[in-house]
Amino acid sequence: MKVLGIESSCDETGVAVYDTTAGLIADQLHSQIDLHAAYGGVVPELASRDHIRRLPMLVRQALAEAGCSFAELDAVAYTAGPGLAGALLVGASFAESLALSLAIPALPIHHLEGHLLSPLLATEPPMFPFVALLVSGGHTQLMAVTGVGQYALLGETVDDAAGEAFDKTAKLLGLGYPGGPQLARLAESGKSGRFKLPRPMLRSGDLDFSFSGLKTAVLNVVSSPGWLPTDAADLAADFQDAVVEVLCAKALRALSDTRLTQLVVAGGVGANRQLRSRLDTEVARRGWSVHYPEPALCTDNGAMIAFAGALRLMAGERQTGMQAVRVRPRWPLADLVAPERSAVT
Ligand code: KG4
Ligand code: ZN
């Protein structure tokens, strides 16, 4: 079965084709970084318009790359939320209309489900059950994952997401958009240990996170009289250390609390090299394993949506006939149910 996947929840237009026997056979992406850079962040209206502009061409390119025609598709999967309402509506209307015209199912997919299943696309994928650490620009969550659509929330951020903290701190340090990768790059040239930054909720006894105080601590340093912009790399290194230490400690705690031995890391912050190296070391020391998506699949992409759609389709989920084009800009992942139980025939 071949599933076309469409991602348009934020500032990337992604279109991919996943074949349940051949695997990922097309993966096309257009990033809007240049479009939003001048504004220092994503402008929702510009994002929606650009998705409209790019989507038809990317779909044609994906089909050409896959060497398949519209008639050979078995389903169209699309990101239905969470994300920017206008941006989601572009992908949802396109996908629902295409599926209707082809008389095949349209599958609304949760963006974070796409992220957390994406490590299963790797050459040595983990098996269910596992703990997922979801670290994106909008979410920071630990989930116990027992199957497709079976996600139990273990803990989450009470304020900023980890990626959001990276982005906001990058702004404080005068870096451009997108801030996370730039801050991480700057941190690599810095030396940590000079600035005593807090480790928020490290000893809270639960699996929740908080990052907004850390950002404020950075603000206090850069607005102090002795601050020198030449110290930015060292401060970036200290900030990254603090975030990585907390993420790592809570992920390890989630594994021991649930007695699970596999950790899956997904979402844009999962591309962070220091986070990966620290998790690799700590997890290996305990005889557990940690799995990441391929680097290109860490940030938003159509492949993870096509793949999540394919898994749901194989599990029996069918939604035929035009669904009301409805998106959910806010959508708790724990609300999802396994495909068998949600099947509509
Ligand atoms: O998953 P994603 O592409 O989009 C959302 O669903 O939010 O994640 C984007 C987030 C941004 O906040 C970005 O700054 C952050 O991931 N990010 C990073 C790195 N690469 C992306 N944060 C830290 N280190 C990185 N290397
Ligand atoms: Zn994402």
Side-chain angles (χ1 to χ4, degrees):
M1 283 190 290
K2 290 184 178 61
V3 178
L4 183 78
I6 295 178
E7 155 64 32
S8 72
S9 66
C10 189
D11 56 351
E12 252 111 24
T13 322
V15 180
V17 181
Y18 185 82
D19 183 323
T20 50
T21 48
L24 189 63
I25 54 175
D27 189 14
Q28 297 283 327
L29 188 73
H30 174 79
S31 166
Q32 300 179 354
I33 285 182
D34 294 345
L35 182 68
H36 302 292
Y39 304 94
V42 180
V43 183
E45 179 61 24
L46 293 184
S48 313
R49 291 185 204 178
D50 201 55
H51 287 308
I52 293 175
R53 240 186 326 262
R54 308 281 172 186
L55 206 43
M57 185 183 65
L58 286 171
V59 168
R60 275 195 291 275
Q61 284 172 1
L63 290 180
E65 185 189 352
C68 87
S69 64
F70 280 114
E72 288 170 82
L73 293 175
D74 294 282
V76 184
Y78 64 93
T79 304
L84 301 171
L88 290 167
L89 277 167
V90 174
S93 338
F94 190 102
E96 288 285 355
S97 314
L98 179 60
L100 180 70
S101 72
L102 298 172
I104 55 177
L107 305 168
I109 299 296
H110 194 297
H111 180 79
L112 296 181
E113 176 174 63
H115 272 306
L116 78 79
L117 295 178
S118 63
L120 303 184
L121 279 165
T123 32
E124 284 181 36
M127 310 276 280
F128 296 118
F130 53 76
V131 167
L133 173 65
L134 280 173
V135 271
S136 70
H139 294 83
T140 299
Q141 297 184 330
L142 279 161
M143 317 277 316
V145 179
T146 44
V148 177
Q150 293 172 278
Y151 314 124
L153 183 66
L154 302 171
E156 65 182 333
T157 182
V158 297
D159 42 52
D160 291 353
E164 189 180 359
F166 263 93
D167 295 338
K168 287 178 174 171
T169 303
K171 226 175 217 177
L172 293 175
L173 295 179
L175 303 173
Y177 152 88
Q182 292 199 36
L183 192 151
R185 222 169 298 128
L186 181 66
E188 283 183 11
S189 63
K191 197 166 165 326
S192 55
R194 279 182 61 193
F195 302 96
K196 300 282 168 266
L197 298 181
R199 271 37 180 178
M201 295 186 73
L202 185 63
R203 305 199 193 289
S204 60
D206 56 22
L207 295 170
D208 287 336
F209 305 87
S210 165
F211 293 108
S212 71
L214 195 49
K215 170 197 66 195
T216 310
V218 170
L219 176 63
N220 289 339
V221 174
V222 300
S223 22
S224 67
W227 168 250
L228 293 171
T230 46
D231 291 337
D234 290 349
L235 183 54
D238 271 324
F239 169 81
Q240 182 171 257
D241 265 13
V243 175
V244 166
E245 185 176 336
V246 177
L247 289 176
C248 193
K250 299 267 174 163
L252 294 171
R253 188 186 171 116
L255 285 164
S256 65
D257 283 3
T258 54
R259 298 174 180 273
L260 295 175
T261 58
Q262 299 176 103
L263 177 68
V264 156
V265 183
V269 183
N272 187 275
R273 283 168 43 172
Q274 196 188 331
L275 175 66
R276 287 185 175 217
S277 115
R278 187 155 179 166
L279 282 174
D280 287 345
T281 311
E282 297 293 333
V283 161
R285 183 181 298 162
R286 291 161 178 81
W288 300 335
S289 65
V290 55
H291 305 262
Y292 310 95
E294 304 290 339
L297 300 186
C298 271
T299 46
D300 293 349
N301 61 82
M304 66 186 193
I305 303 304
F307 181 60
L311 292 183
R312 286 187 164 267
L313 192 69
M314 283 193 292
E317 184 162 309
R318 295 281 184 284
Q319 292 194 326
T320 46
M322 181 82 168
Q323 309 294 306
V325 177
R326 237 188 356 229
V327 294
R328 295 183 63 177
R330 292 175 188 277
W331 191 2
L333 185 57
D335 280 4
L336 291 192
V337 293
E340 309 81 72
R341 280 178 281 144
S342 71
V344 179
T345 44

